[in-house]
Every structure is written in C-alpha cells, then in structure tokens.
Amino acid sequence: MAQPDALVAQRRFRSLRQARRRGLLSVTLLIAGLVLGGIVLTLTVGQSVTAPLDVLRVLWGAEVPGVTFAVRELRLPRAIVGALAGASFSLAGAAFQVLLRNPLASPDIIGISAGASAAAVGGIVFLGLGGVWISVFAVVAALAVAAAIYLLAWRDGVAGGRLILVGIGVAAMLNSFVAYALSQAPSWSLQEALRWLSGTLNGATLVQGLPLAVALLVFGGVLLVQSRALAALQMGDDTAAAIGVAVPRTRLLVVLSAVAVIAVATAVCGPISFVAFLARPIASRLTRAGGPLLVLSALVGALLVVLADFTGQILLPARYPVGIVTGVLGAPYLLYLIVLMHRKGAA
C-alpha cells in the first residue's frame, strides 16, 4: 500500500531540516576553528615571529626571555579583547537585524554606537574624563539613546522601518555633535578622542576583557534564550503572537540586552565600524539558512575583528586601527545593500 502523500512530505521536510542543522553545525565548528586559528596567528606573529612551542610555554606560565612580555602583555590581551568585542558587536547586530527584519538595522547605523561615541568624545573634550569614567559615560549614553530612539519610534508598537529612520536621524545629530566637539578640542584631548573614535585595540588589557566577557555571558545569554522567539518574530508580529510569543515583552528584552552588549563593547574599544552590520549577512551566505544565526554571527564577528586587527597591524605598510580596516570592508557592502534594496523596491 502506498504511503500517503502527507507522510512522504513530512519525512522529506524532516530530512531537509536535519541536513540544514548538520550544515549549520559544520559551518559553526569551521568558523570557531578559524577564530582559534586567528588567535594563534596573533600570538605567534608580530614584529617578530615566535615559535608556537614558546607561545604555549608562556601561556602555561613559564618565563621565556624576549617572548613573555610580547605574548602575555601585548598579543594575548589584544587577541582576547578583539575576539570578545567582535562577538559582542555581531551578536547585538544580528539580534537587531532579526528583530526588525531589516539588514540595515545595525547598531552602528541606527544611532546606538553614535550615542556612545558622542558621550565619550564629549566627556574627553569638555569634561576632561579619562580611564574607566569614559567607559561608564559611554555605556549610560548608549542606553539612553537607545531608549530615546525606541520611544520616538513608538506608535502602537515599533515598526522596523520607522525605528531605522528615527535612528538614522538621531545618529546624524550625534555625529554633528562629535564633529563640533572635535573642532573645539585642545590638542592634548583631540588625539585621545580621535583614537577612541577610530575603534582600536591598542593598549588592550585582560582586565578590559572581563566586562566584555561578563556582558557577553549575561546579556548575550538572554539573547540566545530568546532565539526561538526571534525566529518567530521573523515571520511577523501577528504570526509570532498567534503561536504564543509575547511580542512587546520579547522586543523590549531583546533591545535592552543587545544595547547592553553593544554599549560595553563600544566603551571598551570604541566603535569598531560595520562588524555588527556585516556578521549576520556573512553567516547567512555561508549557511544559506534562515533563523537568527546568533552563535554563528558572533563567531563570524570575532573572526572579522581578529583578522582585521592582524591586517592593520602586520600586513599593511603602516599600522591602522582595527576600526579603519573594518570600515574599509563594510562601507562598500553598505552601498551595495542600499542599491540592491532600492532595485527590489522599484521592482
């Protein structure tokens, strides 16, 4: 007796879903391996090349003359902070893009990173802040700007397109303030403000990696817990509500957690441009799968930052901050995406 068509279709669907899961797992493991490889590359290659065995000895706690300081104090903090910052930016960016169902919904485009930048530059230039106070100021400002954007975009709910437009407008105003602050800055604070704005891992320490790790664990964990609800929201608010998702609560929780992650990362190493914007589209292209792809996006972001920093410090003829390198990568893709969306809209 022939099997019913519905049963055959159900088995095919299950088989396809399992194949996609295996493919996603394979790509995730591959990118995780590449992140580890990028960290190893950063630890072994600098102004001089260090033997991998010596690197392992230093990491194990041994003192190797001529190697210990370079590996333990310079290269290791840079690699760890870079990977954590890249994962933080990308995880938050992926959450925003999925929540708002728009690839332009990145924190560095909708004004959240601009809020942290404006607060940090204003604190440096006008208030004379330094050290940890700049980071605290930047985190508070990023949260406040996110709340303002959310409230300004609210009208019987928050539509993705409206929030993006409001965010772009707020970002423009904040960037104007940054330009004004830089024009008024004395020489001794101008250099510090510009260094912070460029997005850099120079002077990174393992102590700076601690708040990044905590924010990624706590608020990133919240985002991962909400991944199923985010997947439902991709199908639309009405569909998500019909299958039991508390849409307003989920939206607010995701926004707060994503902003907290991005604020801490920006406070530690400045606004590393376009990492949050690029990671999920790359993850989606690698897997050709839908869904939030939060973990894979975080790994892609970590890889982008580690390799961009290595490129800016070692491969180019002059040393460039990591934010400059990622900006060079991200700006053309942003233009391409805008043109592509315009053509689709016209069609």
Side-chain angles (χ1 to χ4, degrees):
M1 182 177 178
Q3 291 181 327
D5 291 342
L7 183 58
V8 173
Q10 187 179 30
R11 287 183 175 177
R12 287 179 178 175
F13 175 75
R14 287 179 180 175
S15 177
L16 179 61
R17 185 170 59 180
Q18 290 174 355
R20 287 180 175 176
R21 285 179 178 175
R22 288 193 297 268
L24 176 59
L25 178 60
S26 299
V27 173
T28 302
L29 292 175
L30 173 62
I31 300 300
L34 290 176
V35 172
L36 181 60
I39 293 175
V40 171
L41 183 65
T42 301
L43 294 178
T44 55
V45 180
Q47 296 303 305
S48 61
V49 178
T50 304
L53 183 59
D54 287 340
V55 172
L56 289 176
R57 290 172 60 195
V58 170
L59 295 180
W60 192 254
E63 296 291 330
V64 182
V67 174
T68 299
F69 179 78
V71 172
R72 190 180 296 166
E73 303 298 328
L74 300 179
R75 298 178 188 173
L76 180 62
R78 195 178 194 104
I80 296 300
V81 171
L84 290 174
S88 299
F89 282 115
S90 303
L91 184 62
F96 271 109
Q97 289 170 343
V98 173
L99 181 68
L100 301 176
R101 300 189 293 278
N102 193 312
L104 292 177
S106 173
D108 45 6
I109 293 176
I110 63 175
I112 296 170
S113 296
S117 299
V121 172
I124 293 170
V125 174
F126 298 121
L127 302 179
L129 298 180
V132 68
W133 289 109
I134 297 176
S135 300
V136 172
F137 210 44
V139 169
V140 173
L143 293 171
V145 168
I149 293 171
Y150 195 87
L151 292 174
L152 288 171
W154 181 273
R155 185 181 300 170
D156 296 327
V158 177
R162 187 163 59 245
L163 188 142
I164 292 170
L165 291 175
V166 170
I168 291 173
V170 170
M173 291 188 293
L174 293 171
N175 288 330
S176 297
F177 171 78
V178 170
Y180 169 75
L182 293 177
S183 70
Q184 301 298 309
S187 58
W188 59 84
S189 60
L190 177 62
Q191 184 176 1
E192 174 64 16
L194 290 174
R195 186 199 68 81
W196 197 91
L197 282 174
S198 65
T200 180
L201 298 175
N202 293 340
T205 64
L206 290 178
V207 173
Q208 290 178 324
L210 182 60
L212 273 173
V214 172
L216 199 56
L217 181 64
V218 175
F219 298 109
V222 173
L223 292 176
L224 293 179
V225 169
Q226 297 296 319
S227 59
R228 287 191 175 182
L230 278 172
L233 285 171
Q234 277 188 295
M235 299 181 289
D237 291 357
D238 293 338
T239 302
I243 61 177
V245 175
V247 174
R249 174 182 171 276
T250 300
R251 192 183 295 275
L252 182 60
L253 190 60
V254 169
V255 168
L256 290 176
S257 300
V259 169
V261 170
I262 208 83
V264 173
T266 304
V268 169
C269 48
I272 301 179
S273 304
F274 290 112
V275 175
F277 175 64
L278 287 171
R280 189 178 181 276
I282 293 175
S284 182
R285 289 292 182 92
L286 289 174
T287 59
R288 298 191 180 278
L293 300 176
L294 297 182
V295 174
L296 181 56
S297 297
L299 290 172
V300 169
L303 182 62
L304 281 174
V305 172
V306 170
L307 293 184
D309 184 56
F310 182 81
T311 300
Q313 297 299 307
I314 306 299
L315 299 183
L316 297 178
R319 292 188 177 185
Y320 294 96
V322 62
I324 300 297
V325 180
T326 57
V328 170
L329 294 174
Y333 180 76
L334 174 60
L335 295 175
Y336 162 77
L337 187 60
I338 291 174
V339 171
L340 185 63
M341 294 177 67
H342 176 73
R343 287 179 177 175
K344 287 183 177 179

